């Protein structure tokens, strides 16, 4: 909803009262206060508006007196509601005693925290708790470093949740847990979840999120970066949606890391290597600087710890003016005194100029601990639409790296491959031309990549169904096009490797 700057956060519900959270959860579910229930009640436009912190459409849609409308006004729109009416829907006394509700005057009650329904990947009914007015991550003008308010689910949170590899693991670590969404997801497939945050209020809210969602409790630890992690601790999965904004100073705890430039993101990535178990994944959202005289790809390669494969995807780039304006608006500074706004804008540009930064990139960083003597680091730009969730796509990418690393060209030609599902071929050229200028293979799933291939590559991919070895397919193609099969076998493995690496072909 709206911002709550210059306001002290309200007292939180008790985190050691699981029975109160359980009773509240039961009542919320009984009233269909779920992601699906909200969509049915509000309709798609008002529901989408809520995700943009716009409440007017939802207020208009909840002018009735049904239990669900009452709960939306109470927990999502922060409206006081009549005590007498709430007692028909919620265990009011238990909620007041547990701190979830507070009495307002003699006749009303109000929520002490924002509670937003959130649908889990397998249809689970979860609830994300956050500070009042902070349900949407990045809502403008929220709080200050001293206030330490905790935001709910934003686009960055759901992006990280979607790209995370979801295989059963023993131990997972969520660094900078915030409202606990990553810990909640990890609890589905990790035996033990550790969640850390510099802000003790965030740890308290994470405990509430887990309890209200019916998830197991996590091991909650206060501290910065890897500080709360013991020297002998390792994990199968590390995730972090850190305060990655590159800013002068650290006014806003939820977004500003407090280190110079992109040092916080670099420290997170570099520190993951020694804390990952063999085969374990570390996955981060991050910002990075584009510095004059330096290739941004080289900058990011230097972050990757030894002994780790890496796949780094730059999703967006903004010049320094766009970047400064985005985050000044996020903080609500554009609504302040114009002279103060200009001074803050100047401070951002001064900082970038001093560091010779011309742009800032945003994207995903995935590491995997490998025993290979030759780790593979892939750094690429892919600003195009993708299909979330991508966790399985990312896991499969590293599996294919292992296969390619273990097979020389001779072994590759002896292997069998299959064209993945929903790949189509497009031929590009002038109308009426006998032959296309080039052929493009395009994925309709996962990363939705497109790659140019020659006629041999297109023909090879088109007949890969796992039945014939790559070498035998090339021999048949050589006979069809009248080419020397030995020469074709010599020049084609590089193209096969690219098609496998990019996910067009999979080893059988």
């Amino acid at each position: 909803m709206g911002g709550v700057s210059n306001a002290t956060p309200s007292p939180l519900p008790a985190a050691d009262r699981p029975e109160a959270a359980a009773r509240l959860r039961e009542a919320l579910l009984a009233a269909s206060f779920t992601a699906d229930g909200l969509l049915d009640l509000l309709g798609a436009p008002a529901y989408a508006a809520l995700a943009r912190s716009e409440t007017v459409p939802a207020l208009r849609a909840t002018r009735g007196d049904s239990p669900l409308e009452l709960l939306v006004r109470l927990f999502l729109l922060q409206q006081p509601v009549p005590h007498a009416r709430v007692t028909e829907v919620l265990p009011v006394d238990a909620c007041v005693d547990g701190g979830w509700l507070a009495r307002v005057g003699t006749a009303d009650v109000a929520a002490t925290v924002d509670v937003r329904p959130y649908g889990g990947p397998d249809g689970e009914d979860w609830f994300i708790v956050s500070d009042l007015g902070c349900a949407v991550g990045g809502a403008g003008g929220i709080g200050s470093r001293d206030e330490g308010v905790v935001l709910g689910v934003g686009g960055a949170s759901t992006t990280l949740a979607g790209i995370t590899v979801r295989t059963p693991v023993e131990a997972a670590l969520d660094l900078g847990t915030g409202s606990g969404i990553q810990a909640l997801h990890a609890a589905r497939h990790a035996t033990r979840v550790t969640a850390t945050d510099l802000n003790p209020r965030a740890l308290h809210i994470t405990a509430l999120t887990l309890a209200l969602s019916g998830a197991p409790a996590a091991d909650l630890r206060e501290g910065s970066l890897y500080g709360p992690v013991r020297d002998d601790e390792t994990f199968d999965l590390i995730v972090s949606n850190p305060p990655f904004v590159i800013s002068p100073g650290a006014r806003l705890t939820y977004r500003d890391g407090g280190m110079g430039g992109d040092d916080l993101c670099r420290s997170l990535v570099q520190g993951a290597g020694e804390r990952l178990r063999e085969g374990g994944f570390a996955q981060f959202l991050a910002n990075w600087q584009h510095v004059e005289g330096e290739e941004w790809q080289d900058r990011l390669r230097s972050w990757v710890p030894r002994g780790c494969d890496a796949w780094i995807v730059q999703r967006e780039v903004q010049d320094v003016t766009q970047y400064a304006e985005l985050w000044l608006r996020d903080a609500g500074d554009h609504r302040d005194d114009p002279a103060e706004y200009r001074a803050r804008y100047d401070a951002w540009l001064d900082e970038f100029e001093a560091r010779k930064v011309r742009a800032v990139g945003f994207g995903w960083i995935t590491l995997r601990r490998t025993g290979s003597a030759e780790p593979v680091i892939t750094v690429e730009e892919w600003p195009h639409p993708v299909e979330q969730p991508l966790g399985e796509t990312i896991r499969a990418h590293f599996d294919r790296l292992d296969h390619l690393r273990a097979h020389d060209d001779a072994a590759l030609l002896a292997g069998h491959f299959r064209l993945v599902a929903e790949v189509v071929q497009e031929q590009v050229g002038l109308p009426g031309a006998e032959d296309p200028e080039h052929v493009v293979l395009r994925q309709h799933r996962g990363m939705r990549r497109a790659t140019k291939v020659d006629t041999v590559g297109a023909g090879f991919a088109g007949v890969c169904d796992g039945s014939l070895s790559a070498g035998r397919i090339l021999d048949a193609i050589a006979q069809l096009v009248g080419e020397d099969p030995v020469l074709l076998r010599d020049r084609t493995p590089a193209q096969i490797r690219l098609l496998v690496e990019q996910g067009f072909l999979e080893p059988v």
Side-chain angles (χ1 to χ4, degrees), residues 61-110:
T62 55
R63 289 178 287 195
D65 199 36
S66 71
L68 182 53
E69 289 169 298
L70 194 77
L71 293 177
V72 171
R73 292 200 298 272
L74 181 66
F75 284 114
L76 287 184
L77 306 178
Q78 278 88 62
Q79 304 290 307
V81 296
H83 179 282
R85 185 68 184 93
V86 180
T87 56
E88 301 171 18
V89 183
L90 298 176
V92 173
D93 291 342
C95 288
V96 171
D97 290 344
W100 294 93
L101 298 177
R103 299 186 187 278
V104 178
T106 59
D108 293 340
V109 294

Side-chain angles (χ1 to χ4, degrees), residues 14-26 100 125-127 129 179 184 204-218:
D16 58 354
R17 298 283 299 277
E19 70 288 348
R23 291 187 65 189
L24 176 56
R25 172 179 172 78
E26 183 180 345
W100 294 93
D125 289 316
W126 290 340
F127 300 97
V129 179
S179 59
L184 182 57
H204 191 133
I205 283 181
T206 290
L208 299 177
T209 289
L210 295 173
L212 196 58
S213 298

Side-chain angles (χ1 to χ4, degrees), residues 384-468:
H384 310 294
V386 298
E387 182 190 47
Q388 284 274 37
L390 276 170
E392 180 57 25
T393 297
I394 290 174
R395 185 202 61 77
H397 167 86
F398 288 94
D399 285 349
R400 293 193 303 272
L401 283 188
D402 285 342
H403 183 88
L404 293 173
R405 193 159 38 200
H407 291 74
D408 61 17
D409 286 355
L412 198 71
L413 293 175
H416 295 239
F417 299 91
R418 181 187 300 115
L419 186 69
V420 302
E422 297 192 46
V423 171
V424 297
Q425 176 179 306
E426 300 172 357
Q427 297 188 165
V428 181
L430 293 173
E434 185 174 341
D435 295 312
E437 292 177 19
H438 59 261
V439 179
V440 173
L441 298 182
R442 186 179 301 278
Q443 302 168 349
H444 280 252
R445 306 296 300 271
M447 291 292 287
R448 294 179 174 167
R449 292 187 185 279
T451 189
K452 284 185 186 180
V453 291
D454 59 21
T455 53
V456 171
F460 178 86
V463 297
C464 276
D465 61 3
S467 60
L468 296 175

Side-chain angles (χ1 to χ4, degrees), residues 207-239:
L208 299 177
T209 289
L210 295 173
L212 196 58
S213 298
D219 179 3
L220 304 175
R221 304 182 194 175
E222 183 180 345
S224 178
L225 299 176
Y226 296 98
V229 178
R230 297 191 305 272
D231 290 343
D232 61 345
E233 278 187 293
T234 55
F235 300 88
D236 306 288
L237 175 67
I238 299 173
V239 294

Side-chain angles (χ1 to χ4, degrees), residues 413 425 436 438-439 441 452-464 470-471 473-485 487-496 499 505:
L413 293 175
Q425 176 179 306
H438 59 261
V439 179
L441 298 182
K452 284 185 186 180
V453 291
D454 59 21
T455 53
V456 171
F460 178 86
V463 297
C464 276
I473 292 174
L474 290 180
D475 291 343
I477 291 175
Q479 188 173 8
L480 280 173
V481 301
E483 188 168 340
D484 184 334
L487 293 178
L488 194 62
R489 279 175 171 254
D490 282 346
R491 70 176 175 85
T492 307
Q495 191 168 192
I496 296 174
L499 291 174
L505 297 176

